[in-house]
Amino acid sequence: MKILVTGGAGFIGGNYCLKMTEKYPEDTFVCLDLLTYAGNLETLAPIMDRENFRFVKGDIRDRAFIDELFAQEKFDVVINFAAETHVDRSVEEPDVFVSTNVMGVQVLLDACRKHVVKRFHQVSTDEVYGDLPLDRPDLLFTETTPLHASSPYSASKAGADLLVLAYYRTFKLPVTISRCSNNYGPYQFPEKLIPLMVSRAMADQSLPVYGEGLNVRDWLHVYDHNTAIDLIVRKGRVGEVYNIGGHNEKANIEVVKTILKQLGKPESLIHYVKDRPGHDLRYAMDPTKLVTELGWQPEYNFDTGMAQTITWYVENRGWWEHILSGDYKEYYAKMYKDRQ
Ligand code: NAD
Ligand code: DAU
């Protein structure tokens, strides 16, 4: 099989490429990535010379370029990880979220139709369902929960999901969609909660916790997300949506305290700052369909997965220090100055 992996220089797509090129030596993987601020070729360095892997720099919104690539490569499968992904950035600059996350997906869908790709898989998110109340632990998102996005990011992902399903219904394009909860693991850009807190705590800098730190996220190791995507692509039913999650709900403050404890840093580093506008209260996924239909089970438990992840950031300072030394300083100053 020849598989196009868009956004493969990012966090989840990068972990996907590292694992799947090794697991499936008989398949060929072409990674297409624009290398925005979030893309990092250092992540892919260990597989750059593999025979079954090739990196191409390009933009999923560039119709002529995408058409040419599809004509040359004749992909069997397209897995779309490429997106603008940070909620706080979408509050500041929504345009690029609509452009990449909606228009870019439409360009890919058209190319899949024209070049008769056997499967288009859209990597979506639990955020398309909106949020759940904190005092109703019995409520979980299922695949039939109505879409109710809160941020420009999640609205753009919901828009993409609707387009993907419309291409299935109208053009019979063989599509699948997965909606996953929050991921943690190696190679995550340090604007996101866990790597941000680990890198700042290691430098004895203040840890900016939004609001009272009581918002709940449902954490899954990136490895388990990718095994689920792999199963859905190979065995999932076309036209279907599959929720992915491991029943690991944690309040943000618990996650931050776990990090401080493992690093041996004091809780006095915690600073409660102004909340994110429209901040979703709680996410919680029901992955029953994926488990019963495709037999998926997560391998990581949260405590050991988090411990390994924190250790990874401690042992791989070089990877995130390169990022922190660039435009990131400006980003942090701009995004957090009004939050103090
Ligand atoms: P990321 O921000 O780490 O990586 C995104 C990648 O997409 C980057 O390498 C970037 O360069 C690339 N990209 C951006 N715009 C592009 C364009 N126009 N053309 C080509 N490449 C482009 O994101 P991530 O956390 O790895 O998320 C991957 C996917 O998974 C996204 O679709 C996201 O919505 C979804 N998702 C993420 C999580 C999470 O917790 N991180 C959870 C559920 C779903
Ligand atoms: O749920 C899946 C989604 O998870 C993905 O679709 C998104 O791409 C991904 O970015 C992530 O979104 P979140 O907004 O949940 O992740 P983030 O790491 O930005 O924030 C996690 C929680 O931590 C959230 O409640 C906000 C809070 N937070 C975040 C940052 C960056 C803080 O308290 N302080 C911070 O500095």
Side-chain angles (χ1 to χ4, degrees):
M1 257 193 339
K2 190 179 263 193
I3 302 174
L4 174 66
V5 183
T6 64
F11 165 47
I12 305 172
N15 276 283
Y16 173 90
C17 290
L18 292 173
K19 279 287 168 223
M20 300 305 165
T21 48
E22 192 187 346
K23 183 170 178 193
Y24 297 109
E26 69 281 14
D27 291 338
T28 303
F29 297 82
V30 176
C31 167
L32 165 70
D33 197 295
L34 183 58
L35 298 179
T36 67
Y37 79 93
N40 191 340
L41 279 185
E42 281 183 43
T43 304
L44 298 173
I47 55 168
M48 276 300 196
D49 293 331
R50 279 191 76 105
E51 276 195 3
N52 66 340
F53 181 77
R54 187 162 90 82
F55 178 80
V56 180
K57 184 173 177 202
D59 191 331
I60 60 167
R61 295 166 295 183
D62 183 341
R63 201 169 271 277
F65 161 77
I66 291 289
D67 187 47
E68 176 75 28
L69 184 72
F70 276 62
Q72 270 170 16
E73 298 279 356
K74 305 198 177 0
F75 299 114
D76 298 296
V77 169
V78 173
I79 306 180
N80 181 37
F81 292 92
E84 288 293 333
T85 63
H86 194 39
V87 174
D88 294 324
R89 287 185 193 252
S90 82
V91 175
E92 295 296 310
E93 288 170 46
D95 287 22
V96 71
F97 284 76
V98 176
S99 159
T100 286
N101 298 1
V102 183
M103 314 283 276
V105 169
Q106 195 215 342
V107 169
L108 290 175
L109 288 167
D110 285 339
C112 288
R113 267 188 83 200
K114 180 171 170 193
H115 298 279
V116 198
V117 165
K118 295 190 191 84
R119 177 67 65 87
F120 175 83
H121 181 76
Q122 171 69 359
V123 180
S124 185
T125 169
D126 58 359
E127 298 199 13
V128 297
Y129 297 122
D131 63 356
L132 294 164
L134 291 175
D135 60 356
R136 288 291 308 273
D138 55 312
L139 294 181
L140 305 175
F141 296 132
T142 70
E143 288 82 359
T144 55
T145 301
L147 302 191
H148 196 251
S150 315
S151 70
Y153 162 69
S154 51
S156 69
K157 294 293 289 185
D161 283 12
L162 292 174
L163 262 183
V164 172
L165 293 172
Y167 272 60
Y168 170 66
R169 166 116 185 212
T170 308
F171 305 117
K172 310 270 179 298
L173 189 74
V175 304
T176 39
I177 295 177
S178 54
R179 296 183 180 142
C180 189
S181 58
N182 283 63
N183 284 207
Y184 67 95
Y187 304 110
Q188 188 170 27
F189 193 87
E191 66 189 348
K192 305 281 165 57
L193 180 75
I194 291 173
L196 180 112
M197 296 299 172
V198 173
S199 55
R200 290 187 66 82
M202 282 173 71
D204 297 307
Q205 290 168 327
S206 65
L207 308 187
V209 172
Y210 298 166
E212 295 175 49
L214 298 178
N215 301 60
V216 169
R217 295 294 181 264
D218 182 0
W219 293 97
L220 185 75
H221 195 280
V222 63
Y223 171 84
D224 289 321
H225 184 181
N226 280 327
T227 61
I229 290 174
D230 184 43
L231 256 184
I232 295 165
V233 166
R234 286 167 199 268
K235 299 196 177 136
R237 285 181 296 138
V238 297
E240 293 294 318
V241 174
Y242 293 88
N243 280 356
I244 311 175
H247 297 292
N248 271 309
E249 290 181 53
K250 305 278 170 208
N252 293 336
I253 192 65
E254 267 184 86
V255 173
V256 172
K257 286 184 179 174
T258 302
I259 293 169
L260 287 171
K261 192 163 177 216
Q262 180 166 337
L263 293 176
K265 300 287 183 180
E267 289 188 5
S268 55
L269 287 178
I270 295 171
H271 280 213
Y272 293 95
V273 299
K274 196 169 149 200
D275 211 349
R276 171 185 279 176
H279 198 174
D280 280 337
L281 288 173
R282 169 177 167 250
Y283 304 139
M285 282 306 234
D286 179 353
T288 304
K289 180 175 174 182
L290 178 68
V291 170
T292 53
E293 208 178 294
L294 301 181
W296 176 82
Q297 282 297 335
E299 283 184 25
Y300 280 82
N301 99 15
F302 183 74
D303 293 341
T304 51
M306 262 299 277
Q308 276 178 28
T309 298
I310 296 167
T311 303
W312 187 89
Y313 287 99
V314 171
E315 290 175 353
N316 291 274
R317 287 187 85 112
W319 184 86
W320 51 267
E321 272 177 352
H322 287 175
I323 296 169
L324 299 193
S325 62
D327 294 343
Y328 182 88
K329 272 193 190 137
E330 216 176 287
Y331 162 82
Y332 192 89
K334 179 175 165 218
M335 298 296 272
Y336 288 83
K337 86 172 166 357
D338 295 332
R339 285 217 150 99
Q340 299 312 319

